[in-house]
Amino acid sequence: MSSVTTKKSISKDEWEQRLSKVKVNKQDLNRLVMNYLVIEGYKDAAEQFSLESGLEPTIDLESIQERMEIRHAIQSGDVDTAIELVNDVNPEILDTNPELFFHLQQQRLIEMIRNGDFAEALEFAAEEMAPRGEEHPEFLQELERTMALLAFQDVQKSPVADLLHPGQRQKTASELNAAILVSQSREKDPKLPSLLKMLMWSQEQLDERMTLCCGRFGCS
């Protein structure tokens, strides 16, 4: 005889009650926060958090300084300085990662357009970016999307306006930061964002199931 396994379903209220009873160790939370600050390169914040929490960081915080300066350069729009600093740390990082180098060059192009240096941007795209697009066709779509910034008088209302948002600089800075960590044989992704995404996904799955259940059987 084959056994049949029945799954017990619970209501959203019961789920939330169970969730509220889960006790999370404060020290574990502190470690997650410290892990995030160290990996993302927020040295000053990590030092302050260490003092407030009493938690010692897993690495020498002075080693974060280089990554912090590189991140600051990208987020300030100074890509040339960031590239120089990365090459000082380890020139092989960019030599062995064509996608990362393309994204840095793409960010340089974006900054030229942002500053209104359109002639320089066209020249840079033709001499530096186009050849890389020929070598790596997978980059062409991103290059075309960046060049589309030149086609709109009001870029902020264009379909590619997101390239000029601070989030684009943050994305490039994070990609570069991760590459540096990998070159140093360190963890490149903080645990906290992944856990938050998992929690949000679980909540969305529960909400979806509750909606389907209410649609079929009605909810009081």
Side-chain angles (χ1 to χ4, degrees):
M1 295 177 63
S2 60
S3 60
V4 179
T5 302
T6 58
K7 294 182 179 180
K8 180 183 177 183
S9 60
I10 64 174
S11 68
K12 184 176 181 179
D13 288 341
E14 185 178 352
W15 166 260
E16 290 177 347
Q17 288 176 5
R18 291 186 181 185
L19 196 60
S20 66
K21 292 178 182 178
V22 175
K23 303 299 180 184
V24 180
N25 185 283
K26 186 176 181 180
Q27 197 71 356
D28 290 338
L29 284 176
N30 288 342
R31 289 192 186 96
L32 284 173
V33 174
M34 180 62 78
N35 171 264
Y36 175 82
L37 295 175
V38 167
I39 289 178
E40 289 298 317
Y42 297 116
K43 175 175 174 286
D44 295 341
E47 287 176 338
Q48 185 62 33
F49 186 73
S50 178
L51 292 174
E52 294 177 358
S53 65
L55 180 67
E56 289 295 325
T58 55
I59 66 171
D60 180 9
L61 292 182
E62 289 304 318
S63 67
I64 302 177
Q65 185 66 34
E66 290 174 331
R67 289 191 291 118
M68 187 175 70
E69 292 175 359
I70 292 169
R71 176 182 287 278
H72 177 73
I74 293 289
Q75 293 177 334
S76 300
D78 190 357
V79 183
D80 289 343
T81 294
I83 291 175
E84 289 177 7
L85 291 172
V86 172
N87 286 332
D88 287 342
V89 173
N90 184 351
E92 290 188 2
I93 293 174
L94 299 183
D95 289 343
T96 59
N97 195 331
E99 183 176 13
L100 172 61
F101 187 66
F102 174 83
H103 286 153
L104 287 171
Q105 298 290 69
Q106 178 190 26
Q107 193 64 46
R108 286 180 68 186
L109 181 59
I110 291 170
E111 300 303 338
M112 292 176 192
I113 297 172
R114 187 199 310 275
N115 295 331
D117 301 327
F118 303 125
E120 184 180 357
L122 287 169
E123 182 180 355
F124 180 77
E127 294 182 359
E128 298 292 338
M129 302 291 288
R132 295 190 180 278
E134 292 177 359
E135 292 176 13
H136 302 277
E138 65 272 20
F139 300 157
L140 282 176
Q141 186 174 357
E142 288 185 81
L143 176 57
E144 291 171 357
R145 192 164 181 270
T146 306
M147 293 303 295
L149 287 169
L150 296 168
F152 297 91
Q153 288 186 342
D154 188 350
V155 178
Q156 297 303 329
K157 294 182 180 179
S158 73
V160 291
D162 59 290
L163 293 175
L164 295 177
H165 292 173
Q168 172 65 26
R169 287 177 173 176
Q170 176 70 25
K171 177 183 175 183
T172 304
S174 294
E175 182 182 0
L176 181 53
N177 181 65
I180 295 171
L181 288 168
V182 168
S183 74
Q184 297 171 345
S185 301
R186 292 180 179 172
E187 186 179 8
K188 69 180 180 70
D189 296 314
K191 297 181 176 69
L192 187 57
S194 298
L195 290 173
L196 290 175
K197 287 179 182 177
M198 188 180 300
L199 181 60
M200 290 176 63
W201 179 85
S202 300
Q203 187 64 54
E204 288 172 359
Q205 292 297 306
L206 180 61
D207 290 343
E208 183 178 332
R209 291 182 183 182
M210 286 299 298
T211 300
L212 290 173
C213 180
C214 288
R216 290 178 181 177
F217 307 109
C219 292
S220 57

